[in-house]
Amino acid sequence: MSEMFRITLPDGSVREVAPGTTPADIAAAIGPGLAKAAIAARVDGDLRDIMRPFEGDAQLALVTSRDEADALELARHDYAHVLAEAVQNLFPGTQITFGPSTDDGFYYDFAPKDRPFTEEDLPAIEQAMRDVIARNEPLVREVWQRDDLIALWRQQGETFKAEWAAELPGDEELTVYRAGTWLDMCRGPHLASTGKLDPQAFKLTRVSGAYWRGDQANAMLSRIYGTGWLNKKQLDQHLFRLEEAAKRDHRKIGQEMDLFHLKPEAQGSVFWHPKGFILWRQLEAYMRRRLDAAGYDEVKTPQLMDARQWEQSGHWGKYRENMFVVPDEIPSTDDEAPILSGKSDLMALKPMNCPAHILIFRQGIKSYRDLPIRMAEFGCCHRNEPHGALHGIMRVRQFTQDDAHIFAREDQLIDEIKAFCDLLDSVYRDLGFEKYAIKLALRPDNRFGDDAMWDRAEQILRDAVEATGRATEEYGWEELPGEGAFYAPKLEFHLTDAIGRTWQVGTIQADTVLPERLDASYVGEDGNRHRPVMLHRAILGTFERFIGILIEHHAGRFPLWLSPVQAVVATIVSDADDYAKVVAEKLAAAGLRVETDLRNEKINYKVREHSLAKVPNLLVVGKRESEEGTVALRQLGSDRQQILSLDEAIAMLKKGATPPDL
C-alpha cells in the first residue's frame, strides 16, 4: 500500500490522503459548498492550482473568491492566457511571447504575422475571448523535458518561446498549461478551467508597441492591454474610476487653472505659474506652522556635495544610478579641447537630505539632554529618473521634500514616532483625506546592519503604531517583507483619495546605520559616546507629487484656504465697475485672494469661465448691488446664489478662508 500524505488544514485538523489526491478532492470531501467555491489552494504557503496533486505532507489553505488578492491574481493571469489563445484563433501565424497580470489587469505581447495590431482589432478579440471562456476548457498543468518543449515550439513556429525555453536555468522545471489543443509555457498557477472566468468582467483597453525582452535591439511586438476582475460590478466600478481619473487628471486641471506647465527644456522639472505657486506657498506655510508648533528646527543644506560624502553614507554604491553627478572643475572654453578633462573629483546633486542633516548634528558636542533634536528642511533634491518614468508633477527629477530627521535616544523613540503619527493624522485630515493605511516595510535582502539591529528597529515601529491605537484593520495595518530601505525599516502611510485610489506618501524610518557610517554621536549620562537613532520622516513626501494628489483628490476644487484665487468679483454692467473695485479692495483688506472681472462679456459667459477655472466664489455685482451695497454670491458647484450685504459676504468668506490650524 502506498504511503499516505498528512494534510494539515488551517483549523489544525489533519487528513490522511493517498498520493494523487488534489486540493479539489479535499474541498469536495469537506462539503459541496466549498467544492464549488474553492478556486485554488495555498500549499505550504505557495499558491497552486486546485487540481495539482499533493507531493507529500503539507499545510493546506483553500482559496475562494473571498481571498480577493489571490483570486484577482489568478483571474488576471487566466485572462492573459485566454487573450493569447483568442488572438491566435483570430490571426493564425501570430507568435506568442509573455502575458503577465498587472495591478488592475493583464497584457500580452504578440509578434503578428502580417501587421501590428490596432485598437480597431479589440472588439473582435474581446468576442473571441468570450468564445474561449464559453468552451470551459480545463487548464491542465504539464511538466515537459526542455529539449522536447524547444522542439515543439520550433515546430509550431514559436521562435520567441523556443528562445526563452532554451535560456531558462538548467535546473528549472519547465511547465506548460494546456487548454484543449492550445498551450503556453507558464509557471502558473491558474484556475481549473477557462469557464471559471466571468466573460463580462474584462475589457481590452489599448494597444502599444513593446520590444522583445525590453531591448530596443530586438524585434518590435504588439502589446495588448486589458483590465480584468472577478465580476461585472467590479469592472464597472473600475471603468468609472478610470473615467473619473481622466476628468481629475492633474495635468488637465493644472492647465485649466493655470497652475504650472512642463516642457522638454527642463525634463522632469516643473514651471510653477503664479497661481500654482500660491497653492505651493499656502501648503508650505501651513506645514511650517505645524512643524514649528511640534518643536522642529528648520535648516537649509547645500544642493551639491562631494562624492566622498555619498560614498561614506553608502548612497554612492547603492543609489548612484539615480544621482546627477557633476565634475568639480571649470569647463574649458577652448573650441579645440574637450569641455571636461575627465580627471577632476566628482560631486553630486543631493537626492535626499539625510547625510547633510547628520553633518549639522555633528557640529558641536551633543549631550543626552539635548535629545531629541528635530531637524526639518523643505529641501530641493534631484533624482535622475528615466524619461519614460516621468509623469506630470507626480514623478519628476527635481522635487522638494517636506523632510525632517529626528535624532533621539532609544528610550525616546516610541514617544517620538507616536507624536509623528498623531501629527501626520491631523495634517491629512486638515487637507481633506479621511482615510489612510499604515504599512510596516521590513528588511530587504540587500541591506546594511545585522539582524539584531533590524529586529530592534522593526519592533520599535510596531510598538509605536500599537501605542497610537492604529495597528488595526481600520487603518489597513499590514507588514511588507523585503520592502524596507537598505538602511532601515519604515512605516508607510497610504492615502485613499476621493475615487478610491491609494497613494503612498508619508514615511518614517528608524535608522541606526547612517549615524554609525557618518559618525554621529552624543555624550550619554554615563559620560561615554553613544549613537543616536535617526528617524527619517516625511508627511507629504514631496510638494510636487502631493500637490498633484491634492488636485486629483479635490478635482481642483480646493478647500477655500488653499485656493489660489478665493473670489472673483464680476460685473453684469459697466456701471458697476467702480463698486466692483471697492468690493475687491475690501475683500483683499480682509486677507482674501481676490480678482476682478470687468470685461464687456455676458455674465453667463463669465460664470462658465470662472467655473472651469475652479474659482470657489463668484461675487456678481450690477447696478442694483452697487446701489444697495450687496453682492450676489455664487459658490462653485451650486446653481443657487445668495444675496448678502458686503459685510456679511466678507465675514463668511474670511471664516471659510482661515487655515484649519489657525
Side-chain angles (χ1 to χ4, degrees):
M1 183 176 178
S2 299
E3 181 184 351
M4 301 291 278
F5 297 154
R6 291 172 56 83
I7 307 302
T8 305
L9 300 176
D11 63 1
S13 63
V14 176
R15 290 181 179 246
E16 292 195 348
V17 301
T21 301
T22 68
D25 294 329
I26 290 184
I30 293 173
L34 184 58
K36 183 177 180 181
I39 58 175
R42 283 206 172 270
V43 178
D44 293 332
D46 294 330
L47 192 62
R48 287 193 175 190
D49 309 321
I50 199 164
M51 302 303 294
R52 180 175 170 182
F54 295 106
E55 293 147 3
D57 296 348
Q59 301 275 340
L60 170 66
L62 292 164
V63 175
T64 71
S65 59
R66 292 185 177 181
D67 303 300
E68 190 166 287
D70 285 340
L72 282 170
E73 174 76 16
L74 288 160
R76 289 164 179 166
H77 199 171
D78 282 15
Y79 279 124
H81 274 240
V82 168
L83 168 60
E85 182 177 353
V87 166
Q88 289 198 309
N89 290 342
L90 272 181
F91 303 96
T94 298
Q95 292 190 60
I96 54 176
T97 64
F98 295 122
S101 60
T102 64
D103 287 344
D104 62 6
F106 56 94
Y107 69 80
Y108 209 106
D109 289 346
F110 300 96
K113 180 182 179 184
D114 301 316
R115 62 169 176 82
F117 297 132
T118 68
E119 297 196 359
E120 285 71 31
D121 296 317
L122 297 186
I125 297 172
E126 285 184 352
Q127 185 53 53
M129 289 177 67
R130 293 190 176 96
D131 294 341
V132 172
I133 293 170
R135 289 200 293 273
N136 195 21
E137 296 277 9
L139 288 162
V140 181
R141 180 179 183 269
E142 300 174 352
V143 180
W144 281 60
Q145 293 296 317
R146 182 180 306 271
D147 291 344
D148 293 341
L149 186 54
I150 293 170
L152 174 72
W153 290 137
R154 287 176 177 162
Q155 177 189 338
Q156 294 186 351
E158 298 283 4
T159 58
F160 296 95
K161 286 289 187 186
E163 177 185 327
W164 187 244
E167 294 185 14
L168 286 171
D171 58 351
E172 182 167 341
E173 184 177 65
L174 299 189
T175 54
V176 163
Y177 279 81
R178 181 184 296 276
T181 59
W182 187 85
L183 69 162
D184 194 2
M185 185 168 67
C186 179
R187 292 188 179 93
H190 284 278
L191 298 172
S193 69
T194 61
K196 298 292 184 183
L197 295 170
D198 185 336
Q200 303 304 319
F202 77 92
K203 182 176 180 58
L204 300 183
T205 54
R206 61 190 175 96
V207 178
S208 73
Y211 292 105
W212 167 237
R213 301 170 77 170
D215 189 335
Q216 295 183 18
N218 291 337
M220 173 66 79
L221 307 172
S222 281
R223 176 173 293 178
I224 298 178
Y225 288 92
T227 185
W229 300 85
L230 300 179
N231 52 60
K232 188 174 187 300
K233 181 181 178 182
Q234 288 183 342
L235 173 66
D236 289 343
Q237 289 172 340
H238 174 70
L239 295 178
F240 171 78
R241 284 195 299 269
L242 289 181
E243 182 181 347
E244 191 64 24
K247 294 178 187 174
R248 293 168 178 262
D249 190 304
H250 70 280
R251 295 164 297 183
K252 171 177 172 287
I253 293 176
Q255 183 175 10
E256 292 170 351
M257 297 184 69
D258 192 25
L259 302 179
F260 61 84
H261 79 270
L262 299 131
K263 295 288 284 183
E265 290 85 347
Q267 283 280 357
S269 298
V270 185
F271 293 84
W272 290 100
H273 297 187
K275 289 178 181 175
F277 203 56
I278 287 173
L279 173 60
W280 176 299
R281 288 172 54 203
Q282 292 304 310
L283 186 61
E284 183 180 51
Y286 165 80
M287 289 303 300
R288 183 169 279 120
R289 291 193 300 270
R290 298 304 307 266
L291 293 177
D292 288 347
Y296 286 80
D297 296 314
E298 190 172 350
V299 299
K300 187 74 173 171
T301 59
Q303 289 279 302
L304 200 58
M305 292 172 63
D306 193 295
R308 285 181 285 267
Q309 175 70 18
W310 299 109
E311 288 173 4
Q312 190 177 352
S313 71
H315 292 94
W316 193 252
K318 295 185 180 290
Y319 208 77
R320 188 170 62 244
E321 71 275 11
N322 294 114
M323 298 171 73
F324 286 99
V325 178
V326 181
D328 187 10
E329 67 173 294
I330 306 298
S332 171
T333 57
D334 185 348
D335 291 340
E336 304 301 320
I339 296 174
L340 299 171
S341 69
K343 299 176 182 177
S344 59
D345 290 337
L346 295 178
M347 304 184 77
L349 288 171
K350 64 178 179 181
M352 64 273 297
N353 300 305
C354 28
H357 288 189
I358 290 182
L359 292 180
I360 292 179
F361 178 86
R362 285 173 47 188
Q363 294 298 299
I365 297 171
K366 301 296 187 295
S367 162
Y368 70 97
R369 294 189 183 89
D370 298 322
L371 303 185
I373 293 174
R374 306 180 190 98
M375 199 179 297
E377 178 174 11
F378 298 131
C380 182
C381 298
H382 291 78
R383 294 184 186 172
N384 196 355
E385 301 280 5
H387 287 194
L390 302 175
H391 176 67
I393 65 174
M394 298 287 205
R395 189 162 183 182
V396 291
R397 287 176 153 185
Q398 177 184 291
F399 54 88
T400 299
Q401 295 179 307
D402 71 314
D403 205 8
H405 295 92
I406 302 170
F407 298 88
R409 307 188 309 265
E410 281 213 20
D411 63 289
Q412 298 170 321
L413 293 177
I414 300 275
D415 288 342
E416 286 301 311
I417 297 168
K418 183 178 181 296
F420 167 75
C421 290
D422 291 341
L423 174 61
L424 172 142
D425 182 271
S426 173
V427 168
Y428 287 170
R429 294 184 192 284
D430 281 353
L431 294 172
F433 295 94
E434 296 297 324
K435 184 178 178 183
Y436 62 89
I438 307 175
K439 316 287 185 185
L440 174 56
L442 304 173
R443 69 197 73 185
D445 292 335
N446 187 13
R447 61 182 183 268
F448 290 144
D450 58 28
D451 285 345
M453 180 277 288
W454 282 87
D455 289 341
R456 190 166 62 253
E458 290 169 355
Q459 193 58 47
I460 284 168
L461 293 176
R462 280 191 198 96
D463 292 344
V465 178
E466 287 176 3
T468 70
R470 298 186 181 98
T472 64
E473 188 175 332
E474 178 189 354
Y475 285 91
W477 174 250
E478 184 182 4
E479 297 195 3
L480 306 174
E483 296 294 317
F486 68 85
Y487 51 84
K490 60 182 175 177
L491 293 175
E492 298 177 351
F493 298 84
H494 296 249
L495 288 179
T496 298
D497 72 8
I499 58 174
R501 297 171 301 181
T502 58
W503 307 87
Q504 196 264 300
V505 282
T507 183
I508 187 165
Q509 304 163 13
D511 176 17
T512 59
V513 171
L514 276 186
E516 180 71 35
R517 292 182 70 91
L518 297 181
D519 195 28
S521 66
Y522 66 91
V523 178
E525 193 171 5
D526 58 4
N528 296 322
R529 290 181 64 202
H530 299 269
R531 299 289 183 206
V533 178
M534 185 179 186
L535 297 175
H536 307 246
R537 48 111 299 179
I539 295 176
L540 307 183
T542 74
F543 276 82
E544 289 80 359
R545 183 167 177 267
F546 198 89
I547 288 173
I549 294 168
L550 273 176
I551 291 170
E552 297 198 2
H553 175 63
H554 292 290
R557 300 181 177 191
F558 302 110
L560 186 57
W561 66 278
L562 277 176
S563 295
V565 177
Q566 294 171 322
V568 167
V569 184
T571 53
I572 301 173
V573 292
S574 58
D575 290 352
D577 285 1
D578 289 341
Y579 178 60
K581 293 174 185 176
V582 170
V583 170
E585 287 170 2
K586 290 192 173 183
L587 287 167
L592 292 155
R593 296 185 288 277
V594 60
E595 295 179 351
T596 57
D597 186 347
L598 311 181
R599 293 174 299 166
N600 185 24
E601 299 283 358
K602 292 183 177 179
I603 190 61
N604 286 342
Y605 175 85
K606 294 181 181 181
V607 170
R608 282 195 303 273
E609 192 170 76
H610 294 302
S611 295
L612 182 65
K614 308 295 189 295
V615 173
N617 296 289
L618 189 63
L619 284 70
V620 178
V621 296
K623 189 173 181 181
R624 173 196 262 179
E625 285 78 15
S626 63
E627 291 171 351
E628 296 178 355
T630 61
V631 296
L633 176 63
R634 294 171 178 254
Q635 294 188 304
L636 185 63
S638 174
D639 295 330
R640 295 175 58 253
Q641 68 177 23
Q642 297 174 266
I643 305 300
L644 302 169
S645 72
L646 179 54
D647 288 342
E648 287 175 328
I650 290 172
M652 187 176 84
L653 295 182
K654 185 176 180 180
K655 181 179 179 181
T658 302
D661 62 307
L662 298 179

